[in-house]
Amino acid sequence: MRSDEVKKGTSRAPHRSLFKSMGYTDEEINRPLIGIASSFNEIIPGHIDLNKIVDAAKAGVRISGGTPIVFGGIGVCDGIAMGHTGMQYSLASREIIADSIEIMAHAHKFDALVLVCNCDKIVPGMLMAAARINIPAIIISGGPMLAGRHNKKAIDLSTVFEAVGAHQAEKISSDELSEIENSACPTCGSCSGMFTANSMNCLSEAIGMALPANGSALAISAKRIRLAKETGMAIMQLLEQNICPRDIMSKAAFFNAVSVDMALGCSTNTSLHLPAIAKEAGVDLNLEMFNEVSKSVPNLCSLAPAGNHHMEDLDDAGGVSAVMAVLKDNKYLDMSCMTATTKTVAENIKGAKVTDTNVIRSISDCYHPTGGIAALFGNLAPDGCVVKQSAVAPQMLKSSGPARVFESEEEAVDAISKGKIVKGDVVVIRNEGPKGGPGMREMLTPTAMIAGMGLDKEVVLLTDGRFSGATKGASIGHISPEAASKGPIGIIEDDDMISIDIINRKIKVEISDQEIQKRLKAYKPPKKNLKGYLARYAQLVQSANTGAVLNDFT
């Protein structure tokens, strides 16, 4: 066993002594040492209950003859970090999460890892670590929260953000805003729509690194606790058979994940995280591949923010396994891929079925004939940008309008709140990319305000930063190269006409190539006075089209 390096032989007597100081017995020390990476904290709704998941996973490990050893990890709540400088640290935290698990796994020679997580950057950070370390590992999330209720309708966190815009537009009262605030998030868990956290939890299952039902079993359910125990038992099987993350996360497995991504209508942030995870696994995954899959895989689900269904509806309808069963019948998946169950995809989803064909539709009755995400290319985004096309109104799939340029999220929010954005405008928010932000802030506030004011079917938003998985409307992010890397978005001026054709995957500023080059030659990206981790991150991070990975010094 790998852990023999810290516990076997006379020379390791001091090491065993330290174990015994914590109460470990010789029997526990002699068993496989299973690291339980827990991102429990009291600041993220999806994480506040993770100790229950940890305890259940530990029980599963012990049942199967291992010794579970818990260690902690950081996590940022994107919702609480939203709309201020705290969001600069969210994407950047993904690298810290991966690095810290690498440190703990190697320093203590764990034999295998159970990765207990739930939300936006924590799930991909842990998957990156698993691929990098490549010892037996498995993911178990804390699960989604229930949707809230207001006026007999299901609501969620994005409803609150949109209600702020509606209140500012004097469409709802302060009392109604307060009612929505108090009702939208009724339980612990990851926010209830197909936002980034639930997208990544579902894709952890689709790629094979989590057990079936990981994506949709509710945080407050006994099903989730049972799943955590089963996960603890499963890691011991993976260890016994020496099945490691790179055995699971093959190129075919990433194609499976992107196919499920398109069918579910996941967050645009998956186009950042999947390539970053793939890089750690030695697999090349780019935006062109997302488009390739999107053209052939239809959108089968319409979960919030695209539609009115939530994670509880997906779970009741059969969950990710049922979605994969529909895709299997049309040969959109590689059924031979190995998974964390030690079985293939085909074996895992055998018997899975759809129990609500409105939540998970058939191929012939799909919500959209193409996948949920589209990557656009053109002179405004030579290296690409992304949009959640399943959440875009049909009339906005092709549009054009004059640019309204802002140098930060705060400037844009101020203009929107003062009614300076009107029908037909194209709002351009720049200097918010991975390097220029830094940290590629996720911007739900401006998109939700636009939606709350009733302009989401009339106004386009563009940024070299990111939009939340809870965003709806023609919100196009990840524009690459970013302004800080002298990308064309940096030289857009007010009233430049911008054309967007999501159907044909094109985005263009209507000025000549000569004018673009002339402006770029004169353009100097603004400099920011950065210190600490953000200063280091800004120096190392690459463009969004790479997954915002850090420079490789190997």
Side-chain angles (χ1 to χ4, degrees):
M1 288 187 294
R2 190 169 181 265
S3 61
D4 287 350
E5 292 185 55
V6 299
K7 66 187 186 185
K8 290 290 186 181
T10 56
S11 66
R12 296 302 188 237
H15 303 62
R16 292 192 295 273
S17 181
L18 291 170
F19 275 100
K20 290 176 179 179
S21 76
M22 295 179 281
Y24 290 99
T25 65
D26 284 325
E27 172 63 22
E28 288 175 302
I29 296 169
N30 286 332
R31 292 179 176 186
L33 304 184
I34 311 302
I36 312 286
S38 170
S39 55
F40 163 80
N41 60 47
E42 296 181 344
I43 192 65
I44 308 178
H47 292 231
I48 196 164
D49 235 23
L50 283 189
N51 280 345
K52 293 181 181 178
I53 304 299
V54 168
D55 288 344
K58 288 168 65 178
V61 169
R62 287 199 178 99
I63 287 168
S64 296
T67 297
I69 301 174
V70 179
F71 63 91
I74 65 168
V76 171
C77 178
D78 277 22
I80 294 174
M82 197 81 66
H84 55 89
T85 56
M87 181 49 75
Q88 291 178 307
Y89 289 88
S90 177
L91 181 60
S93 73
R94 188 184 69 182
E95 315 307 320
I96 296 287
I97 292 161
D99 290 350
S100 63
I101 293 172
E102 175 192 355
I103 289 167
M104 293 297 288
H106 286 315
H108 304 102
K109 295 298 178 183
F110 292 124
D111 295 301
L113 295 169
V114 176
L115 306 169
V116 184
C117 48
N118 207 11
C119 291
D120 296 36
K121 309 309 170 298
I122 299 90
V123 178
M126 288 192 172
L127 283 170
M128 289 167 65
R132 184 188 304 172
I133 301 163
N134 204 36
I135 61 174
I138 190 169
I139 285 270
I140 174 67
S141 86
M145 68 171 64
L146 284 168
R149 291 289 185 273
H150 178 67
N151 291 338
K152 298 183 180 180
K153 292 183 179 180
I155 62 172
D156 51 59
L157 181 65
S158 65
T159 311
V160 190
F161 277 91
E162 292 174 15
V164 173
H167 180 259
Q168 290 179 337
E170 299 184 349
K171 292 186 175 183
I172 64 172
S173 66
S174 297
D175 287 345
E176 185 170 5
L177 176 59
S178 181
E179 289 172 8
I180 294 170
E181 172 189 333
N182 291 331
S183 304
C185 301
T187 70
C188 65
S190 48
C191 295
S192 57
M194 187 53 75
F195 312 148
T196 304
N198 291 321
S199 295
M200 291 308 305
N201 285 326
C202 288
L203 297 187
S204 298
E205 181 181 336
I207 207 169
M209 283 296 293
L211 299 185
N214 180 72
S216 62
L218 292 172
I220 59 172
S221 66
K223 180 179 178 181
R224 177 61 61 178
I225 299 299
R226 294 195 301 270
L227 187 66
K229 290 178 182 176
E230 291 163 358
T231 298
M233 292 185 274
I235 193 61
M236 299 305 294
Q237 293 180 325
L238 290 167
L239 178 60
E240 181 181 347
Q241 298 184 35
N242 194 31
I243 298 173
C244 297
R246 292 186 196 175
D247 299 320
I248 294 171
M249 290 192 282
S250 62
K251 187 168 186 177
F254 279 99
F255 268 88
N256 284 352
V258 176
S259 294
V260 173
D261 186 341
M262 296 303 165
L264 286 172
C266 290
S267 163
T268 52
N269 283 315
T270 60
S271 68
L272 279 177
H273 299 319
L274 286 178
I277 298 163
K279 181 177 184 292
E280 297 286 359
V283 174
D284 182 32
L285 187 63
N286 54 43
L287 291 181
E288 286 84 357
M289 197 277 259
F290 276 78
N291 268 350
E292 178 186 337
V293 176
S294 180
K295 288 177 183 177
S296 60
V297 179
N299 179 215
L300 306 180
C301 303
S302 185
L303 287 89
N308 296 321
H309 298 141
H310 289 80
M311 294 305 295
E312 60 208 72
D313 303 308
L314 178 65
D315 193 54
D316 287 343
V320 175
S321 289
V323 173
M324 295 179 77
V326 176
L327 296 178
K328 172 203 71 150
D329 292 339
N330 290 270
K331 300 181 180 179
Y332 293 131
L333 297 177
D334 187 324
M335 304 301 290
S336 66
C337 290
M338 178 56 62
T339 73
T341 64
T342 73
K343 299 177 182 178
T344 64
V345 172
E347 292 172 302
N348 283 351
I349 66 174
K350 185 178 181 180
K353 60 182 180 180
V354 176
T355 58
D356 187 335
T357 55
N358 191 40
V359 176
I360 304 173
R361 291 191 174 181
S362 65
I363 300 294
S364 61
D365 188 37
C366 60
Y367 280 99
H368 302 282
T370 55
I373 294 175
L376 315 183
F377 295 85
N379 65 358
L380 179 52
D383 293 336
C385 55
V386 294
V387 61
K388 188 169 184 172
Q389 63 176 346
S390 59
V392 178
Q395 64 266 38
M396 295 298 289
L397 292 172
K398 284 189 176 184
S399 61
S400 64
R404 299 289 176 254
V405 181
F406 303 97
E407 304 298 337
S408 68
E409 177 186 9
E410 287 82 0
E411 284 189 16
V413 168
D414 182 65
I416 294 167
S417 66
K418 292 178 178 176
K420 294 182 179 180
I421 302 303
V422 299
K423 178 180 178 179
D425 282 348
V426 177
V427 176
V428 178
I429 307 173
R430 62 190 178 202
N431 301 309
E432 293 286 6
K435 185 182 296 291
M440 203 179 180
R441 287 196 291 178
E442 189 173 270
M443 293 177 281
L444 180 55
T445 301
T447 59
M449 289 177 67
I450 289 288
M453 293 175 173
L455 294 172
D456 56 304
K457 296 179 178 64
E458 299 172 335
V459 170
V460 177
L461 293 97
L462 307 178
T463 185
D464 52 8
R466 299 181 294 136
F467 292 119
S468 167
T471 290
K472 66 181 180 181
S475 301
I476 300 168
H478 308 195
I479 289 179
S480 302
E482 62 175 295
S485 297
K486 298 200 73 172
I489 189 173
I491 54 89
I492 302 300
E493 297 176 358
D494 279 342
D495 294 319
D496 283 345
M497 291 298 294
I498 295 175
S499 299
I500 295 101
D501 184 349
I502 295 173
I503 297 171
N504 292 302
R505 309 297 194 256
K506 294 179 181 179
I507 184 168
K508 183 179 182 181
V509 55
E510 302 291 350
I511 56 178
S512 68
D513 292 343
Q514 292 83 357
E515 178 64 17
I516 290 174
Q517 292 306 315
K518 177 184 175 182
R519 293 186 192 180
L520 283 174
K521 188 175 181 179
Y523 179 64
K524 293 182 179 180
K527 291 185 177 181
K528 296 185 177 181
N529 183 25
L530 300 173
K531 295 180 181 179
Y533 178 57
L534 286 182
R536 297 193 299 274
Y537 180 81
Q539 289 181 339
L540 297 174
V541 71
Q542 298 181 32
S543 174
N545 67 297
T546 70
V549 299
L550 301 187
N551 288 321
D552 191 352
F553 295 104
T554 58

